[in-house]
Amino acid sequence: MKNIEGLKKELSKLSEYRNGKIIIPICVDFDSTMVNSDYPNVISENDNCSEILKRWVSEYNVGIILDTLRGGDDLQIAIDWCNDHEIPLYGIGSNPNQSKFVFSNKSYGIFSIDDRNIGCPLKENLGKYVVDWEKIVETLEPILIELNK
């Protein structure tokens, strides 16, 4: 993982601000990350995901980028779910400002939370492995605190 100073330098290149603070873009997958699903059906929220993401947006100025393989009507299900759970989305499928600093069709975020990421903490739920948000908070929140100093 990059050190805090390296992350701060990377963030300074973005120069995208909200409420006088730099936005920390984080890509977040939908299925098996935000929700427990039997694709394309959403079964339930994964842990306290919505509360965690809303808190990160308000406390650490995180910009949530919905980064999912869903498309069309299935993507709209994910967007509606986020709206219904009052998760403010900074981007859908891409960082809205990434064309200012990188030309790529891959979503750009300082971090990416996805059940398919190597090293992402998982737990079993409803017979499937899903993101363990308690472990994500333990790992990522101290970094978010440092980035906001």
Side-chain angles (χ1 to χ4, degrees):
M1 182 185 306
K2 298 176 182 177
N3 66 32
I4 296 297
E5 291 309 312
L7 287 171
K8 285 183 179 181
K9 185 176 179 180
E10 193 170 336
L11 282 170
S12 71
K13 292 178 188 176
L14 305 180
S15 64
E16 183 68 23
Y17 291 85
R18 178 176 55 210
N19 301 325
K21 296 175 97 178
I22 198 145
I23 295 171
I24 301 171
I26 297 180
C27 297
V28 184
D29 180 40
F30 188 67
D31 294 286
S32 297
T33 302
M34 287 187 186
V35 299
N36 301 300
S37 65
D38 184 16
Y39 183 84
N41 302 312
V42 173
I43 297 170
S44 62
E45 178 177 0
N46 184 8
D47 288 341
N48 298 322
C49 171
S50 63
E51 293 305 315
I52 291 165
L53 294 178
K54 288 188 288 190
R55 184 167 50 80
W56 286 359
V57 169
S58 67
E59 289 183 22
Y60 307 119
N61 217 35
V62 165
I64 303 298
I65 300 166
L66 180 60
D67 195 25
T68 179
L69 288 175
R70 286 177 177 248
D73 291 342
D74 293 339
L75 174 59
Q76 193 59 53
I77 290 169
I79 294 168
D80 291 345
W81 186 90
C82 290
N83 289 336
D84 291 346
H85 288 79
E86 300 176 345
I87 298 170
L89 296 176
Y90 176 61
I92 299 168
S94 69
N95 180 320
N97 295 298
Q98 73 185 43
S99 64
K100 294 178 183 175
F101 55 88
V102 65
F103 298 97
S104 174
N105 59 355
K106 182 177 180 181
S107 295
Y108 174 81
I110 296 293
F111 301 104
S112 176
I113 303 171
D114 189 323
D115 61 299
R116 294 180 178 232
N117 288 350
I118 292 175
C120 185
L122 302 175
K123 67 178 190 171
E124 191 172 352
N125 190 4
L126 303 174
K128 295 182 179 183
Y129 284 95
V130 298
V131 168
D132 185 337
W133 279 95
E134 186 175 306
K135 298 283 186 198
I136 291 289
V137 167
E138 287 175 16
T139 302
L140 196 53
E141 219 163 87
I143 297 168
L144 294 174
I145 290 168
E146 285 298 314
L147 289 175
N148 271 272
K149 287 184 179 179

